[in-house]
Amino acid sequence: MSSEVVVMIQTLFYVLSPLVTLMAVSVAYISLVRQMRPHILVYYRPNKDLQTFIDLVVENVGGGMAKNVVFSQPLPIKCFGIGKADDDGDEVLGDGLPAIAAGQVFVFDGGQYGGLSSRVGEKLEVEVRYSYTNPFGFVRRRKELSVLSVSHLGKMPTRTSAGQAIVDALGGVNVTTLHKVDGNLASIASSLDIIAKNNVESGN
């Protein structure tokens, strides 16, 4: 191998080595920033316990804390009505939130499909603005866009959870087998009390 080729290879090594190192550092930094950056989601979902009910969820799925969280407009909640709206409902988070930690979730009673559909329409765009601290300790500001909609929930199946069904049964909301069994047990207990009382009186 000639000396010219050796010099060329060395020159390329000296030039490319810092570039490769810089690229590796940049990739590591970008990955670290993404891991420590908040990411706020706002959406409606079916309530897992109560039929026809819909939750409003505000969730930080990112890896960092979002501070001074501000929403571009209040979020509709408690908009009840299945076929059509019963009333105008209510609103929440008009003043924002002081902070949302990584993984923190806020759940509100959104309402029902008819009520929310009348209030939200086809979609409701909400801009979320907040500040956060990057890995170097500098405060950064960020904004994200969430699109609220319930149109996809109109034909979704809704079921009462097993836990809620038991609560309803024992509480008397629905007349079920459990409710009847509870009544029968109460009747048997009352009869046993009467028999025991008669035996005591006979012994006297």
Side-chain angles (χ1 to χ4, degrees):
M1 182 179 294
S2 63
S3 59
E4 290 82 1
V5 175
V6 173
V7 172
M8 183 179 296
I9 294 175
Q10 289 178 341
T11 303
L12 288 175
F13 176 78
Y14 292 143
V15 172
L16 294 178
S17 181
L19 291 178
V20 172
T21 302
L22 179 60
M23 290 179 61
V25 171
S26 299
V27 171
Y29 171 75
I30 293 173
S31 177
L32 182 61
V33 168
R34 288 181 176 178
Q35 290 178 3
M36 297 186 63
R37 187 169 60 190
H39 182 35
I40 308 300
L41 297 180
V42 183
Y43 57 94
Y44 288 113
R45 71 178 185 193
N47 186 286
K48 63 180 181 180
D49 293 323
L50 299 174
Q51 296 184 48
T52 75
F53 278 64
I54 297 174
D55 297 331
L56 170 68
V57 181
V58 179
E59 179 179 8
N60 181 2
V61 298
M65 176 180 288
K67 299 180 181 179
N68 303 316
V69 183
V70 178
F71 302 90
S72 59
Q73 56 183 306
L75 309 178
I77 62 169
K78 297 184 178 179
C79 300
F80 295 104
I82 298 177
K84 61 180 181 179
D86 293 340
D87 50 38
D88 294 334
D90 202 351
E91 296 176 338
V92 71
L93 300 182
D95 296 328
L97 289 167
I100 307 179
Q104 189 171 15
V105 182
F106 293 91
V107 181
F108 303 91
D109 292 329
Q112 294 171 300
Y113 176 76
L116 283 170
S117 181
S118 299
R119 181 68 181 275
V120 174
E122 183 178 348
K123 63 179 181 180
L124 179 65
E125 295 186 350
V126 178
E127 186 178 82
V128 185
R129 299 186 300 273
Y130 57 85
S131 61
Y132 69 98
T133 304
N134 70 8
F136 294 101
F138 295 103
V139 176
R140 293 287 183 262
R141 299 190 183 280
R142 193 163 186 257
K143 62 181 180 181
E144 298 174 328
L145 181 66
S146 290
V147 179
L148 290 175
S149 175
V150 294
S151 58
H152 61 291
L153 302 178
K155 296 183 179 180
M156 290 186 66
T158 55
R159 301 178 178 88
T160 301
S161 69
Q164 186 63 38
I166 293 174
V167 171
D168 291 345
L170 296 178
V173 177
N174 300 314
V175 178
T176 64
T177 301
L178 283 176
H179 199 186
K180 294 178 180 178
V181 169
D182 182 62
N184 290 334
L185 289 175
S187 178
I188 293 172
S190 177
S191 299
L192 290 175
D193 288 340
I194 294 175
I195 293 173
K197 183 178 180 181
N198 291 336
N199 288 337
V200 171
E201 291 177 352
S202 299
N204 292 336

